[in-house]
Amino acid sequence: MSVAAADTLTSARARPARVPAGQESREAPATWWQTEQPPELVLERTLALPFTAVSDANQRTRRRGLVKLLDWLQDQPGRTWQDRWLASGAEAAGREWTGLPMQRLTDRQRARNYDRIDLCCGMIPFLGGQAVRPTYRWLLRQRPSQLLAHVRTATDPDGFARLTARYAQSGRAGANDCNNALNRVTWILTRKRGTIQDTTIGDCVELQHAIGEHQANGHHGKHLFYALLAETGVFGPGAPARLKTVMLPGQQTPAAMVDRHSIACTPVRDLLVDYLTERVTEVDYTTLEDMARTLAGIFWRDLETHHPGINSLRLDADTVAAWRERAAVIRDRHGIAIRPRDNAHSVFTWVRAFYQDLARWAADAPGRWGPWVAPCPVRDTEHGKARARRKAAMDQRTRTLLPALPALVTAAEQQLKAAAARLARGRQARAGTSFTTPEGQMLVRCRGASARVLADDSATGRCRDLTVEEELAFWAWAIVEVLRHTGMRIEEALELTHHSFVACRLPTTGEIVPMLQVAPSKLDQERLLLVSPELGEVLTAIIQRIRRGRPAMPTVSAYDTLERLWSAPMPFLFQRPVGPEDRAIPRNYVCTCLNGALAASGLTGPGDQPLHYTPHDFRRIFVTDALRSGLPPHIAARICGHQAVDTTLGYAAIYPEDVITHHRAFIARRRSLRPSEEYREPTVQEWRDFLDHFELRKVALGVCARDFGTPCVHEHACIRCPVLRPDPAQMPRLQEIHANLGDRLREAKEQGWLGEVAAIEASLAAAEHKLAAMRDLAARHTTVHLGMPDFRTSAGRFTPAHDTPG
C-alpha cells in the first residue's frame, strides 16, 4: 500500500476535527536533502555525532546493519531513499520488514544468523538521520525501545528535555505515562520532520487517528503528549487544553444537518434549512438534530427514494400510507426490515409539527411559507395512543424496579466494602506473594512497578485490576445514592460541582440547612434541593475521594455529548483520574457502573430475567415513592423541576393496592363522621318501615322527598314545603287551590283579619312558585311535532326551463 493510500484509509475512517486556523496538519514533503544524499554520505553522517552508539560494539553493529540496509535499498527503483523505501514493500510488511533484505542476502548466499539484529540496529541511525520517513502505519508496528530513544537524541534533545521537566513539575506520576507521551511526539517528528516547536495541533490529531486505526495496545486513548505540548507553549496562547476538545465533533449548522441526507429537490432542501433555522432559538441542539434527521432523512429523503422527482409537500393518500409503513420499521442498507422502530411516534410528531408550523407561520409571512402549506399526513389521534402505551410501559417498569431498589442499594454497599477490602489487602501484599480476599479467594500480587494493584486469579486464569474494581464499585454506589435521594436527571447530577452547596437560613428558627443547587438543564430552571443526612454522607465521600489530600478540588472540563459543547473548567463532583489526568465522568461510564453493580448483585425480575436500571429510572422511582408517601404533587413538581403538575403525575406509577388502600381510608373517614348504629343489620320491622316510607311519600300535588325516618317539619302543609316534588299532571288541582287562596285573601282583607292575611299571602306565594315549577317540568318533557318539510315549492325554483321547439 502506498503512503497516499494509507493516509487516505486513515482519514476516511477518522472523524473530522475542528483544528484552529494556523494549526493544520503539515504535509509530508516528497523529497528533502537527507533522502537525496549518496550512500557514502549517508553512512558518514548517520554514524557520526549525535548518532553514535553508547558502546563500540553497538556502533559496529549499527555500521554493519546500515551497510546492509543501504545495499538492499540501492537495488530498489527510485531516485531517493524515500522512493526506494516505498517501492521495497517494507511499509506493507510492518514489523516483518527485515524479511525482505534477509531474503536478498539468502539469495546471494550471504545470510548470517545475526543479520536480522544488524538490520534493526542499522535502522536506528537511518531513521534518526531522516534518510527516510515511514508512515505511521509502519512506525506504530515497531518496538519503540531503542529506536525512538535514539531519534529523540538525534532530533531535538532540548525539546524533549523540556517536556520531561514539565511532566515532573505538574505532579504527574508514572514513568510509563511519560515514556508513552514522549514516544508519540517522537513519531510525529519522525514522520513530519523539524523540531518539537514545529509541531501543530493537526499533527497531533493525525497521529491520534493513526493510533486508533493501526494500533491496539490499550494506549490509544491517552492524550498526555498533547497536554505536555500545550503546557510548554508549543501551540501558542489560547490553544485548547485537551486534544479531545479538537477531536470531538461540535455543533453543526442547520444547512450541514440537512445536507448530510443529499436531498435532490433544492426548493425543499432550502425550505427545511429555513424551517430548522427558525426553530434554533426554540429547541436545544439535541432536539434540533433529531428534527433534521427525521424531516430530511426519514421523511423527505425516503419520499425522494420511492417517488423520484417529487417536489411538493401535498401528498396523496397512497403515498402517505406507504411512507408511514416504511417509517414504522428499521431497515438495513438493502431495504430489508430488521425490527420495528421504537420511536416511530416521535417521527410522526415531528412531521405533524412541521406541517402545522408552516400553516401557522403562513398567516404572518404568506409569501415565504404560504406556497408550502398542505394537509398534514399525520392525524392527531395517533399521538394519544402512543402516549398511553408509553405511559403504561413506564408504569410497569417502575412497578418492577421500585421493590428491588432496597436490594440494589444493599448490594452496591456490599460490593464497595468488598472491593475496598480486596484493594487494601492487595496493597499490603508484596509482589509475587499471595493473599486472601474477604470472599475467600486466593490472589497473587503481580510483579512489576505500577500505580495500580494487579493480581492473578488462579480460579479464572486472568489478571484482575483491583484498583479499577474498587473505582467501579465506588462510583456505582455513589451514582445509585445520589440519584435515588435527589431524583435528578443524569445530566444534572453530572453537572454538580463543589460550588453547588448552598447554606439556607430558615426565617422562623434561624437554623442553617444545607441545600444543593441544581444547574439549569432541560427547562433552563435552577432549583434548590434539601441535602438529607444520608445524601450529605455520600457527597462528603465523593469530595474526599476527589481531593485525595489536596487543598482544593481539581478543575476539569466536561463534554456534553448531546449538546456537543465543552464546559469551562470547574470542580465537578463526578470526576475521576484517568492515567495522568483528571477527567469528568461521562454518561457511558455511569451506565457501565450501573450494569456492573447489577451484574454482581444478581437481581432478577419477572421471568428470572436480570434487572436493568437506567439513570432515568431512579427519577421515576423517586417521584412514585414520594407521592405514595404523601408528598403533595405540586411540591414534588417543584423538587423535580417540572413546570406542570401533570408532568409529575405522569412519572408516578399508581399501584392497584394504592387505589384499594386509599379507597378504604376514604370509607373509614366517612364512617367516623356518621353514627355507628347505622352500620348494623336492620331488623325485619325496620326493613318493613323503610319500604312503607316510600308508600307514604305520595301526596295530592306530587311526591314528598324528605329523608327516611324524619318527621314533616311543615305539619303536612305541602304547598309551603320545599321538599315537595310537584307533579305537572296535578296542575289543575293546584290552580284551583291558587284561586281559592285568592278568594280567601280578599275575604280576610274585607273582614280585617290581618293575621290571616299574612298566612294566606305566604301560602299564595308558595302556590305560585309550585305552579311555575310545574310549568317548567311540563315544558321540559313536552314533545314538539315539527311536521314534514315540503320541497315541492323550493325544488321548482331550481328546475331548469325546457326549451320549446320552433
Side-chain angles (χ1 to χ4, degrees):
M1 181 183 296
S2 63
V3 179
D7 292 342
T8 301
L9 178 61
T10 302
S11 61
R13 298 182 181 179
R15 183 180 296 169
R18 299 172 298 159
V19 179
Q23 293 291 331
E24 293 81 4
S25 175
R26 294 175 294 166
E27 294 291 337
T31 183
W32 55 97
W33 68 269
Q34 293 96 331
T35 192
E36 296 178 350
Q37 283 188 316
E40 58 274 7
L41 292 181
V42 172
L43 190 64
E44 178 182 357
R45 182 177 59 85
T46 57
L47 292 178
L49 291 175
F51 305 100
T52 55
V54 294
S55 63
D56 293 339
N58 197 352
Q59 182 73 2
R60 290 192 296 269
T61 303
R62 289 185 179 182
R63 175 180 288 275
R64 290 197 308 267
L66 185 57
V67 170
K68 296 173 183 178
L69 187 60
L70 293 175
D71 290 343
W72 166 62
L73 288 177
Q74 279 186 302
D75 291 344
Q76 308 300 324
R79 186 179 63 87
T80 63
W81 297 111
Q82 179 74 7
D83 296 338
R84 300 180 188 116
W85 169 260
L86 297 177
S88 66
E91 287 284 346
R95 184 174 294 181
E96 305 300 329
W97 69 272
T98 55
L100 299 176
M102 285 291 297
Q103 183 63 38
R104 177 178 180 275
L105 294 174
T106 302
D107 295 340
R108 298 187 178 187
Q109 298 181 355
R110 294 167 52 187
R112 300 294 185 269
N113 294 333
Y114 52 81
D115 286 337
R116 192 178 300 273
I117 298 177
D118 289 349
L119 290 169
C120 291
C121 292
M123 180 59 72
I124 294 175
F126 195 57
L127 286 181
Q130 291 285 303
V132 294
R133 292 171 181 168
T135 61
Y136 288 128
R137 184 177 184 272
W138 186 87
L139 290 172
L140 297 177
R141 281 168 166 75
Q142 310 307 311
R143 295 181 177 90
S145 55
Q146 296 183 5
L147 176 62
L148 298 182
H150 178 79
V151 173
R152 287 196 287 270
T153 304
T155 53
D156 190 4
D158 296 337
F160 283 102
R162 288 193 298 269
L163 294 181
T164 305
R166 176 56 192 170
Y167 181 84
Q169 294 172 1
S170 61
R172 299 182 175 96
N176 290 335
D177 293 331
C178 183
N179 289 333
N180 289 330
L182 297 180
N183 289 342
R184 281 159 171 73
V185 179
T186 308
W187 283 327
I188 294 176
L189 298 187
T190 304
R191 178 76 182 106
K192 294 292 186 178
R193 76 188 182 279
T195 62
I196 291 179
Q197 200 64 32
D198 299 326
T199 307
T200 65
I201 297 177
D203 294 340
C204 300
V205 173
E206 183 180 353
L207 173 64
Q208 276 305 115
H209 288 325
I211 292 175
E213 180 72 25
H214 303 301
Q215 194 179 62
N217 59 359
H219 299 288
H220 61 274
K222 294 186 176 180
H223 299 162
L224 176 60
F225 76 101
Y226 176 88
L228 294 178
L229 293 174
E231 292 171 6
T232 53
V234 172
F235 307 130
R242 294 183 58 187
L243 185 58
K244 274 193 173 181
T245 308
V246 181
M247 298 185 63
L248 291 178
Q251 293 186 353
Q252 292 184 328
T253 62
M257 295 180 184
V258 174
D259 291 339
R260 284 184 302 182
H261 302 280
S262 303
I263 294 179
C265 183
T266 303
V268 174
R269 179 262 178 197
D270 297 339
L271 171 67
L272 294 176
V273 172
D274 292 344
Y275 175 75
L276 295 177
T277 304
E278 290 289 332
R279 298 296 303 272
V280 164
T281 58
E282 302 175 3
V283 298
D284 54 18
Y285 181 79
T286 305
T287 305
L288 186 70
E289 196 173 33
D290 189 23
M291 293 170 57
R293 181 171 52 253
T294 299
L295 297 177
I298 301 177
F299 177 58
W300 189 256
R301 183 55 186 165
D302 180 83
L303 291 176
E304 287 188 341
T305 302
H306 295 84
H307 305 277
I310 186 173
N311 58 2
S312 174
L313 298 181
R314 188 175 297 273
L315 309 177
D316 55 52
D318 295 338
T319 302
V320 171
W323 170 77
R324 291 170 57 86
E325 183 179 354
R326 294 190 301 269
V329 296
I330 299 292
R331 301 177 184 272
D332 59 11
R333 57 190 182 91
H334 302 293
I336 301 176
I338 302 176
R339 58 178 175 83
R341 189 184 298 274
D342 296 334
N343 62 337
H345 63 280
S346 299
V347 173
F348 299 145
T349 299
W350 290 132
V351 173
R352 180 175 179 80
F354 173 59
Y355 275 81
Q356 290 180 340
D357 288 341
L358 293 181
R360 187 173 64 255
W361 296 348
D364 298 330
R368 182 181 182 185
W369 309 106
W372 297 102
V373 175
C376 181
V378 181
R379 298 186 301 272
D380 190 29
T381 56
E382 303 169 357
H383 308 300
K385 297 179 181 179
R387 285 192 297 267
R389 288 193 296 265
R390 187 167 61 254
K391 177 68 168 61
M394 289 192 303
D395 290 351
Q396 182 59 35
R397 182 177 178 84
T398 304
R399 297 188 189 103
T400 303
L401 298 179
L402 179 56
L405 182 59
L408 175 60
V409 173
T410 303
E413 294 177 353
Q414 295 175 351
Q415 292 168 21
L416 175 58
K417 294 178 180 178
R422 284 196 303 269
L423 180 61
R425 295 188 181 184
R427 285 175 175 169
Q428 295 174 358
R430 291 178 296 176
T433 61
S434 61
F435 62 94
T436 305
T437 65
E439 298 87 357
Q441 300 174 340
M442 186 66 68
L443 302 179
V444 180
R445 176 82 183 265
C446 295
R447 299 182 183 272
S450 176
R452 297 180 298 179
V453 179
L454 306 177
D456 291 326
D457 190 350
S458 58
T460 60
R462 64 183 183 89
C463 180
R464 297 173 56 179
D465 193 332
L466 302 185
T467 305
V468 173
E469 291 180 3
E470 190 274 340
E471 186 177 35
L472 287 172
F474 174 82
W475 287 115
W477 169 78
I479 290 166
V480 170
E481 291 294 326
V482 171
L483 293 182
R484 80 181 183 95
H485 282 300
T486 61
M488 289 190 293
R489 304 178 181 92
I490 181 59
E491 61 269 18
E492 295 172 343
L494 295 181
E495 292 176 359
L496 291 176
T497 67
H498 201 196
H499 306 310
S500 299
F501 295 96
V502 178
C504 180
R505 184 182 298 274
L506 298 180
T508 55
T509 62
E511 179 185 1
I512 297 178
V513 295
M515 305 290 289
L516 198 63
Q517 184 178 12
V518 181
S521 60
K522 186 176 181 180
L523 300 177
D524 295 333
Q525 291 183 351
E526 289 189 356
R527 64 184 191 276
L528 293 176
L529 300 180
L530 180 65
V531 178
S532 62
E534 297 83 0
L535 179 60
E537 294 179 1
V538 177
L539 298 178
T540 302
I542 293 176
I543 294 175
Q544 292 178 351
R545 183 183 185 90
I546 296 175
R547 294 176 66 173
R548 299 192 297 274
R550 291 177 288 187
M553 294 183 61
T555 57
V556 296
S557 296
Y559 179 72
D560 192 336
T561 56
L562 299 180
E563 294 294 328
R564 296 188 180 181
L565 294 175
W566 284 90
S567 69
M570 301 180 68
F572 288 105
L573 296 184
F574 285 89
Q575 60 170 291
R576 65 187 185 97
V578 180
E581 61 180 353
D582 295 305
R583 297 182 185 176
I585 292 179
R587 292 168 180 259
N588 57 353
Y589 188 78
V590 172
C591 297
T592 300
C593 294
L594 288 179
N595 294 336
L598 288 169
S601 65
L603 295 176
T604 57
D608 293 334
Q609 295 295 325
L611 288 180
H612 175 67
Y613 281 79
T614 64
H616 211 69
D617 288 330
F618 292 94
R619 184 171 174 83
R620 299 191 186 99
I621 292 174
F622 175 84
V623 175
T624 301
D625 190 49
L627 295 182
R628 291 181 62 192
S629 301
L631 185 68
H634 66 283
I635 301 298
R638 294 294 299 272
I639 294 176
C640 295
H642 292 154
Q643 290 183 340
V645 179
D646 292 341
T647 305
T648 307
L649 296 178
Y651 274 70
I654 305 301
Y655 288 72
E657 54 266 28
D658 293 340
V659 178
I660 297 174
T661 302
H662 286 79
H663 192 197
R664 286 180 173 177
F666 170 74
I667 295 176
R669 289 193 300 270
R670 288 291 301 273
R671 287 183 174 180
S672 63
L673 301 176
R674 303 186 67 176
S676 59
E677 57 268 13
E678 294 187 6
Y679 296 96
R680 60 179 176 81
E681 189 71 21
T683 63
V684 177
Q685 183 61 36
E686 289 174 341
W687 185 250
R688 184 180 295 111
D689 295 340
F690 177 74
L691 297 178
D692 293 344
H693 167 76
F694 294 98
E695 297 179 0
L696 298 176
R697 285 186 175 187
K698 186 66 175 176
V699 294
L701 298 178
V703 178
C704 180
R706 72 178 186 274
D707 295 335
F708 170 76
T710 59
C712 181
V713 295
H714 294 92
E715 298 179 356
H716 301 285
C718 298
I719 196 171
R720 298 183 182 180
C721 183
V723 295
L724 172 66
R725 297 285 297 174
D727 184 5
Q730 303 299 327
M731 188 180 301
R733 183 184 298 275
L734 185 56
Q735 289 175 347
E736 293 179 2
I737 296 175
H738 182 270
N740 185 18
L741 288 174
D743 296 339
R744 291 177 55 191
L745 179 61
R746 287 190 296 271
E747 182 182 2
K749 288 181 179 181
E750 293 174 356
Q751 299 296 331
W753 301 332
L754 300 181
E756 189 71 15
V757 169
I760 296 175
E761 286 179 348
S763 299
L764 189 61
E768 292 176 351
H769 178 73
K770 291 293 188 294
L771 280 174
M774 286 184 176
R775 295 189 185 97
D776 182 53
L777 289 175
R780 191 180 306 172
H781 296 87
T782 301
T783 302
V784 178
H785 181 67
L786 299 178
M788 291 296 294
D790 189 0
F791 298 101
R792 290 176 296 177
T793 305
S794 300
R797 296 178 182 177
F798 296 94
T799 302
H802 297 281
D803 297 335
T804 57

